[in-house]
Amino acid sequence: MKKLIVPISGMHCISCAQKIESNLKKLNGITNVNVNFATEKATVEFDENLISENEINDAIEQLGYKVIKGISHEAKELVDKEKEEREKEVRNLKSLFIFSLVLSIPIFILSFPEWFNIVVPYQNIVLLILATPIQFFVGYRFYKGAFFALKAKTANMDTLIAIGTSAAYFYSVLVTLTPLFGDHVYFDTSAIIITFVILGKWLEAVTKGKTSEAIKKLVGLQPKTATVIRDGKELQIPIKEVVVGDIVVVKPGQKIPVDGIVVEGFSSVDESMITGESTPVEKKKGDTVIGATINKYGSFKFRATKVGRDTVLSQIIKLVEEAQGSKAPIQRLADKISSYFVPAVILVAIASFSIWYFILEQSFIFSLSIFIAVLIIACPCALGLATPTAIIVGIEKGAENGVLIKSAEALENMYKLTTIVFDKTGTLTKGKPTVTDILEVHKLDKREIIKYAAISEKKSEHPLAEAILNKAKEEKIKIPDPESFEVIPGHGILAKYDGVTILFGNRSLMKKYKIEVREVEKKINALENEGKTVMVLALNKKIVGLIAVTDTLKEFSREAVQKLHEMGKEVIMITGDNKRTANAIAKQLGIDYVLAEVLPEEKEKEIDKLQKKNKFVAMVGDGINDAPALAKADVGITIGSATDIALETGQVVLIKNDLRDVVTAIDLSNYTIKKIKQNLFWAFFYNIAGIPIAAGLLYPFTGFLLNPMIAAVAMALSSVSVVSNSLLMRRYKPPQL
């Protein structure tokens, strides 16, 4: 299965997006389609054995839209090409508006000669000559859009404008060419409506272009050249020529061109553009560096490990772009309404005309004016832009602050969260425990206890194993390989060395092998009450020692928990550790509830139990053994460094490894949903109030009748106002923590 992002130009409203989406879904081999009107992109998942990219592009173009082709999938080229196409569209709309305005001004003057005290011979003929280029040259896009919509057996905004302006124009043509219809023409109505709609489209294109500033900024971060060592010489080459394995030289003040590992030198690096962390990070031999970050002071060399689309920056851009193209559940309401919107508006317009003309016996001109006003004031664009524009900016603000949100659904779901479940090791704690106590139970001394424990843990990747091995190194104890080695998940390790069976783990391991722990129970309890994890060492089924380790809390863990409580969230800790140790750590953090002694495979079940209690749950973990629980949770949040972005399993990635960003993510979700609701309210209110007024609802009571030209202005401004409200989100600042 392959995923393709297709940039599309020529979409005029949400109905266009729905038309493309529904037609692509009918094609054999396509499994999922999402067309986003705001980003002007289609995200298509397909089986490349059944359908090709070219066939998908052709299907879109057959519907009357243009696919932006001739570019690679490299982020910079893609953004540059899209920018070029968008700027071209903005220039085109601006030119059409100016052309239309230049002709509309004399049309308006000639339509009301008494206002300007002028007499023009063959007035209607002159108006026809001036209005025709506007109707068919400037308005060609509306006729084209309406034609392709009709061909696809649907209707869109172009349909409304084409019908409305054509009614005014062709009626005026009949008046001009034959005396049967009176002498009053409405060329000014059709011309000025088209002028204002084009103005609205121009302003909309300009404002929509501003919603994706973060991706442009991210792409702009990448340097154009890199200095590499080849054949013993320093060469400056274009960044796209850097290959994995190249030794790259970075001097003070330079941007790091690609991802890699330091092989020589020392410096501090500003990684704020990627992680949002303002404090420079020290780098020495063996440390990882990220492309596009800035070297501050020292010089160093590093070996390139990731280039091109594999770099962290490219992965972030890809994730942000995919997330912006996804749909939030709240958008389904707008989509569903929009699918019925245009046909309903046409029916309302016909009904309004019929009621005023046939039942209330108003004049044909009066009824026609109402018909046109209803068609023109209705705007599916505002509904279509309300949700995605806010989602776009929300996801970008998250990325700016080191919070990668992988989908619109995740962004929306976070505001609903009632319960936050934290994994302990590596999430609330640093995941780097150290040995604090070694207790002798029988004749074996402390060095021997550490030696046998280290032998059993030598091939383990568990964080506790690292603590044991580090202690053995400190004591300069040589650690031979075990003869056999078996991990017993959630319990410990069974190993054999020199004829001795080694069991090293928790009480459950001892119980599993029927080893009595009563004689050391008090010592274990005392250590656990101090928040330490205690491991029991048994040789040939006889307990010979205890080793206690402790894992320090992550910086800001306590602050994050406190802030979540202030937000009204329940905070739970889940761990495989014993209850005493878990409760001791939970007490330090102020956590509400502890799920202890939970095996890795049982974490998912615990999340399910919480969900069955009608809790909306987020799971926060390190993305390794927490993967099933992260997937089961309503929102999976992974704690991970920027270099591990592509490997993370959660819907949200906290690049800075800072738990306070859980608070930021939830706060950003609340803020985004607030903006979406504002946008949807105004979009719905505008249409609910505007269409009845255009239909003449106020006329019997106040004598007010909405002029179709004013309706065009209102329609144009509705879309611009929704996008502008979303753009205000760029002022968002994370909560003070």
Side-chain angles (χ1 to χ4, degrees):
M1 210 59 67
K2 189 175 181 181
K3 183 180 281 190
L4 176 68
I5 296 177
V6 186
I8 303 170
S9 66
M11 289 193 289
H12 299 153
C13 67
I14 191 174
S15 299
C16 298
Q18 290 172 340
K19 180 171 70 173
I20 297 169
E21 197 170 288
S22 62
N23 278 272
L24 287 180
K25 283 179 179 177
K26 295 174 185 175
L27 299 178
N28 185 35
I30 290 182
T31 56
N32 190 39
V33 184
N34 179 26
V35 182
N36 193 311
F37 171 52
T39 60
E40 298 179 307
K41 290 186 180 76
T43 303
V44 187
E45 292 180 32
F46 65 101
D47 185 340
E48 52 192 326
N49 295 317
L50 299 175
I51 191 169
S52 68
E53 290 187 21
N54 287 336
E55 287 174 312
I56 294 170
N57 292 338
D58 290 344
I60 294 170
E61 295 198 327
Q62 284 171 14
L63 296 171
Y65 305 98
K66 181 182 177 184
V67 172
I68 302 174
K69 300 176 184 175
I71 50 178
S72 73
H73 295 290
E74 293 296 331
K76 189 175 189 322
E77 289 183 44
L78 189 65
V79 170
D80 287 347
K81 186 67 177 177
E82 288 174 7
K83 182 182 178 184
E84 180 186 324
E85 288 289 331
R86 187 177 287 110
E87 288 176 348
K88 182 180 176 182
E89 174 71 358
V90 169
R91 287 195 303 271
N92 182 45
L93 287 168
K94 181 180 179 181
S95 299
L96 287 174
F97 168 67
I98 292 171
F99 176 79
S100 191
L101 181 65
V102 168
L103 292 179
S104 293
I105 291 171
I107 289 173
F108 181 78
I109 293 171
L110 292 176
S111 297
F112 301 96
E114 65 278 8
W115 292 6
F116 302 95
N117 197 25
I118 58 173
V119 177
V120 180
Y122 304 106
Q123 176 180 313
N124 287 356
I125 297 293
V126 174
L127 286 170
L128 173 61
I129 293 169
L130 291 171
T132 299
I134 297 176
Q135 189 69 34
F136 298 107
F137 175 65
V138 180
Y140 170 74
R141 60 178 22 232
F142 305 122
Y143 284 108
K144 179 184 175 184
F147 170 75
F148 279 105
L150 183 63
K151 193 176 174 183
K153 298 178 182 179
T154 184
N156 58 16
M157 190 198 78
D158 294 330
T159 309
L160 299 179
I161 296 168
I163 294 173
T165 59
S166 294
Y169 175 82
F170 286 111
Y171 173 80
S172 301
V173 170
L174 289 173
V175 170
T176 302
L177 300 180
T178 172
L180 297 177
F181 293 88
D183 60 357
H184 192 79
V185 294
Y186 287 88
F187 289 118
D188 58 320
T189 300
S190 63
I192 292 172
I193 284 173
I194 288 174
T195 301
F196 279 132
V197 172
I198 289 293
L199 171 63
K201 285 290 163 191
W202 174 35
L203 295 175
E204 185 184 306
V206 171
T207 49
K208 272 170 68 180
K210 292 178 180 178
T211 58
S212 294
E213 289 296 321
I215 285 185
K216 295 172 195 170
K217 287 177 184 175
L218 285 170
V219 170
L221 291 174
Q222 195 175 50
K224 295 179 180 178
T225 61
T227 302
V228 300
I229 297 176
R230 290 182 181 172
D231 298 325
K233 296 179 181 178
E234 287 189 10
L235 300 175
Q236 193 170 68
I237 61 173
I239 192 169
K240 61 184 179 182
E241 293 181 12
V242 178
V243 296
V244 173
D246 270 338
I247 300 299
V248 184
V249 180
V250 185
K251 296 175 182 177
Q254 289 185 340
K255 284 185 179 179
I256 297 168
V258 295
D259 298 358
I261 297 174
V262 177
V263 295
E264 182 184 316
F266 177 86
S267 186
S268 58
V269 175
D270 179 359
E271 296 183 342
S272 61
M273 62 288 300
I274 300 293
T275 66
E277 180 58 63
S278 59
T279 306
V281 181
E282 290 187 350
K283 300 290 181 181
K284 61 184 183 303
K285 185 176 179 179
D287 288 342
T288 300
V289 290
I290 304 170
T293 56
I294 300 172
N295 180 33
K296 299 293 284 183
Y297 307 114
S299 296
F300 62 89
K301 297 175 184 176
F302 72 91
R303 180 178 290 105
T305 56
K306 292 179 182 177
V307 299
R309 69 183 69 180
D310 295 325
T311 63
V312 167
L313 179 64
S314 294
Q315 289 176 28
I316 290 174
I317 291 168
K318 180 173 176 285
L319 285 173
V320 170
E321 191 173 46
E322 287 181 359
Q324 289 177 336
S326 61
K327 283 186 181 178
I330 197 171
Q331 192 174 338
R332 291 173 194 151
L333 173 63
D335 284 354
K336 190 168 184 178
I337 291 172
S338 296
S339 65
Y340 299 105
F341 185 82
V342 174
V345 168
I346 293 172
L347 290 175
V348 170
I350 293 170
S352 300
F353 173 87
S354 301
I355 291 169
W356 283 107
Y357 185 63
F358 294 110
I359 298 175
L360 300 177
E361 299 181 345
Q362 289 290 338
S363 69
F364 179 81
I365 298 301
F366 181 96
S367 304
L368 181 65
S369 178
I370 284 177
F371 174 77
I372 296 168
V374 170
L375 290 175
I376 299 303
I377 199 167
C379 183
C381 296
L383 281 173
L385 291 167
T387 300
T389 51
I391 292 291
I392 288 170
V393 183
I395 286 169
E396 290 190 346
K397 291 307 294 184
E400 283 179 19
N401 290 284
V403 179
L404 273 183
I405 301 163
K406 293 186 177 181
S407 70
E409 184 175 7
L411 181 60
E412 177 181 339
N413 283 342
M414 280 186 291
Y415 97 100
K416 303 175 188 175
L417 293 173
T418 60
T419 304
I420 317 297
V421 179
F422 287 97
D423 174 49
K424 180 179 78 72
T425 306
T427 302
L428 289 167
T429 64
K430 291 181 179 178
K432 293 183 178 180
T434 55
V435 173
T436 57
D437 302 86
I438 304 168
L439 301 185
E440 303 164 356
V441 177
H442 288 291
K443 295 179 181 180
L444 214 62
D445 64 23
K446 292 182 179 180
R447 285 179 62 84
E448 287 294 300
I449 291 171
I450 282 291
K451 177 182 175 181
Y452 278 102
I455 290 171
S456 70
E457 294 281 15
K458 189 171 183 180
K459 295 185 178 181
S460 172
E461 296 179 356
H462 195 281
L464 295 179
E466 187 179 352
I468 302 297
L469 293 170
N470 285 340
K471 184 64 177 176
K473 285 180 185 177
E474 283 178 26
E475 299 292 330
K476 297 180 180 178
I477 301 171
K478 288 185 179 181
I479 309 300
D481 290 335
E483 293 161 5
S484 65
F485 165 84
E486 180 187 352
V487 174
I488 301 161
H491 295 80
I493 287 173
L494 167 64
K496 287 188 178 180
Y497 170 72
D498 196 23
V500 177
T501 299
I502 306 169
L503 286 167
F504 185 56
N506 56 24
R507 285 187 188 85
S508 300
L509 181 68
M510 300 299 120
K511 184 177 179 182
K512 183 178 178 70
Y513 286 90
K514 298 177 181 178
I515 299 173
E516 186 58 63
V517 296
R518 276 184 298 182
E519 62 177 315
V520 292
E521 190 73 46
K522 286 184 180 179
K523 294 178 181 179
I524 293 174
N525 291 345
L527 291 167
E528 287 177 347
N529 287 334
E530 295 173 16
K532 297 172 182 177
T533 299
V534 182
M535 292 175 287
V536 183
L537 177 67
L539 302 181
N540 293 329
K541 293 197 172 185
K542 184 176 182 180
I543 295 174
V544 295
L546 305 175
I547 299 177
V549 299
T550 189
D551 191 0
T552 54
L553 293 175
K554 271 188 184 173
E555 194 178 11
F556 309 125
S557 293
R558 192 178 288 104
E559 290 179 51
V561 172
Q562 181 183 344
K563 192 67 179 179
L564 287 168
H565 281 146
E566 290 174 11
M567 297 174 86
K569 310 298 180 186
E570 178 186 32
V571 182
I572 294 174
M573 184 175 78
I574 190 167
T575 179
D577 220 333
N578 64 82
K579 291 181 181 179
R580 285 193 181 86
T581 301
N583 286 329
I585 291 172
K587 188 175 180 181
Q588 293 178 52
L589 292 168
I591 283 172
D592 302 312
Y593 187 67
V594 175
L595 297 169
E597 299 175 13
V598 180
L599 297 174
E601 63 270 21
E602 293 175 348
K603 289 182 180 180
E604 179 185 6
K605 294 176 184 177
E606 293 295 336
I607 297 294
D608 185 55
K609 287 178 187 176
L610 291 169
Q611 290 171 326
K612 285 177 178 175
K613 294 177 183 177
N614 294 321
K615 297 178 188 288
F616 208 78
V617 182
M619 172 68 193
V620 187
D622 59 17
I624 303 170
N625 62 357
D626 300 319
L630 287 164
K632 179 63 180 173
D634 297 292
V635 179
I637 302 175
T638 51
I639 305 289
S641 68
T643 53
D644 296 327
I645 288 166
L647 304 176
E648 299 296 345
T649 55
Q651 298 163 288
V652 180
V653 182
L654 309 184
I655 302 175
K656 291 185 288 184
N657 213 359
D658 186 339
L659 289 183
R660 294 179 300 176
D661 287 337
V662 175
V663 177
T664 298
I666 295 171
D667 184 71
L668 179 60
S669 174
N670 288 332
Y671 182 69
T672 303
I673 295 301
K674 179 182 174 183
K675 282 292 180 183
I676 288 173
K677 288 179 177 178
Q678 287 174 2
N679 287 346
L680 287 173
F681 170 79
W682 287 112
F684 281 120
F685 176 80
Y686 163 81
N687 284 294
I688 289 168
I691 292 174
I693 292 170
L697 183 66
L698 299 179
Y699 184 76
F701 310 104
T702 65
F704 175 78
L705 190 66
L706 186 67
N707 188 301
M709 290 182 282
I710 303 301
V713 175
M715 189 271 277
L717 292 178
S718 65
S719 296
V720 176
S721 64
V722 164
V723 179
S724 298
N725 188 44
S726 294
L727 285 174
L728 291 175
M729 292 175 62
R730 288 162 70 180
R731 300 177 182 177
Y732 172 81
K733 300 290 182 188
Q736 295 298 315
L737 297 170

